[in-house]
Structure formats: structure tokens, C-alpha cells
């Protein structure tokens, strides 16, 4: 009884198919002929030429001699520097213009005091023409200078808090 769910076993083949003898002989003869032809071409490659011997030619050696002569140069002399004292810059000219009301206040008070201590008479002013106040930065030209604020209090340009500032004296 055969099982319907299995495939039948195929029949076993016979001996493998081989080439006929005359084809094998032709392959051997052709391969041998190619080998012999290549050997003959390779051996006849020099076309009857004689081998050339290489001779070593003598080499030329060039020797250069350099002669250095020292020339005497004088040593540099000392450098003379002349020190000149710089003249101090004159203080800027301050012009104070009083209005009619201010003139009346000065004449009416009777104090008669004028000069740097009064209001609005600071000797050093900013580029805009205003008086400096304490805490503001100083110009490079004002380092170490003393002036007054708009209120008449003396201030000095001093190095403070990593910068040049106007501080109270």
C-alpha cells in the first residue's frame, strides 16, 4: 500500500554520462599543442641578439672648498637719549554767561563772592560743555586734575574701581 502524501522515490540513475573517447583525446592534443607553441615563441623572443654587458662608468667627484674671511665691524656705540620735560597744558578757558535773573540775584544778595566755589563755575567741562559729577569717567587728558561740580563741590580725577573716575576730594 502506498501513502498518497509522500512523493514517489525516483529511480536511481545509471552510471554518469561520460564524454566519448575521441573528444577527450582531442582536448589533450589541443592543450599540448598550445603549450609547445608558447614555449617556442618564448624561446625565440630574443631574435638572435647578443646579450649586452653593462660596464660601470667611473663617477666624477667634485670637491668644493669655501674660505670665509671675517671683516672687522665696529661695535655699536651707546645710544644717547635726551630727556625733555613736557610743558603742562593750560587749563581750558571757562566762559560763564549770567542771565538777568542771575545778575539780580547776585547783586541782591550782597555777598559779592565769585569764583570757583560758586555754582556753574567748574574749570573742567565735558566735551558737551557740562560740568562733571562725582562717579563719572574721566578723559585721559584729565587724569589727576581737580575741578568742581555744578554745585561747587571739589572733585578729582582719580583711579578708582578699575577706571579713572571723578571722586570727591
Amino acid at each position: 500500500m502506498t501513502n498518497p502524501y509522500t512523493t514517489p522515490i525516483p529511480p536511481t540513475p545509471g552510471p554518469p554520462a561520460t564524454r566519448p573517447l575521441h573528444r577527450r583525446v582531442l582536448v589533450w592534443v589541443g592543450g599540448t599543442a598550445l603549450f609547445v607553441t608558447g614555449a617556442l615563441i618564448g624561446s625565440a623572443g630574443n631574435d638572435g641578439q647578443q646579450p649586452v654587458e653593462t660596464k660601470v662608468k667611473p663617477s666624477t667627484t667634485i670637491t668644493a672648498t669655501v674660505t670665509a674671511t671675517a671683516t672687522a665691524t665696529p661695535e655699536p656705540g651707546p645710544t644717547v637719549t635726551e630727556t625733555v620735560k613736557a610743558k603742562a597744558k593750560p587749563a581750558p578757558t571757562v566762559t560763564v554767561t549770567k542771565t538777568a535773573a542771575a545778575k539780580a540775584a547776585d547783586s541782591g544778595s550782597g555777598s559779592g563772592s565769585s569764583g570757583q566755589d560758586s555754582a556753574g563755575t567748574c574749570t573742567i567741562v565735558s566735551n558737551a560743555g557740562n560740568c562733571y559729577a562725582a562717579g563719572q569717567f574721566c578723559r585721559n587728558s584729565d587724569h589727576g586734575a581737580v575741578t568742581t561740580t555744578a554745585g561747587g563741590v571739589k572733585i578729582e580725577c582719580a583711579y578708582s574701581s578699575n577706571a579713572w573716575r571723578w571722586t570727591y576730594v
Side-chain angles (χ1 to χ4, degrees):
M1 181 165 174
T2 61
N3 188 352
Y5 299 108
T6 62
T7 57
I9 299 173
T12 58
T18 59
R19 288 189 184 139
L21 180 62
H22 70 279
R23 285 195 180 176
R24 283 188 276 169
V25 170
L26 286 177
V27 170
W28 277 98
V29 170
T32 306
L34 285 175
F35 178 74
V36 170
T37 305
L40 289 174
I41 291 174
S43 65
N46 62 8
D47 293 333
Q49 295 178 354
Q50 297 284 333
V52 178
E53 293 181 22
T54 58
K55 296 181 182 178
V56 178
K57 295 181 180 180
S59 62
T60 305
T61 304
I62 299 173
T63 305
T65 305
V66 178
T67 305
T69 55
T71 57
T73 56
E75 292 184 17
T79 304
V80 178
T81 305
E82 184 177 342
T83 304
V84 178
K85 278 194 168 184
K87 295 180 183 178
K89 288 195 228 177
T93 305
V94 178
T95 304
V96 178
T97 306
K98 291 190 178 186
T99 60
K103 287 181 184 176
D106 279 347
S107 63
S109 65
S111 64
S113 67
S114 64
Q116 196 171 358
D117 293 331
S118 65
T121 59
C122 46
T123 55
I124 300 176
V125 293
S126 67
N127 292 340
N130 302 325
C131 295
Y132 282 107
Q136 289 182 322
F137 291 106
C138 306
R139 295 180 291 206
N140 290 340
S141 60
D142 295 336
H143 291 178
V146 177
T147 187
T148 58
T149 62
V153 180
K154 280 190 167 187
I155 55 173
E156 176 185 15
C157 180
Y159 191 75
S160 172
S161 301
N162 296 329
W164 287 88
R165 297 176 183 267
W166 290 105
T167 57
Y168 292 110
V169 178

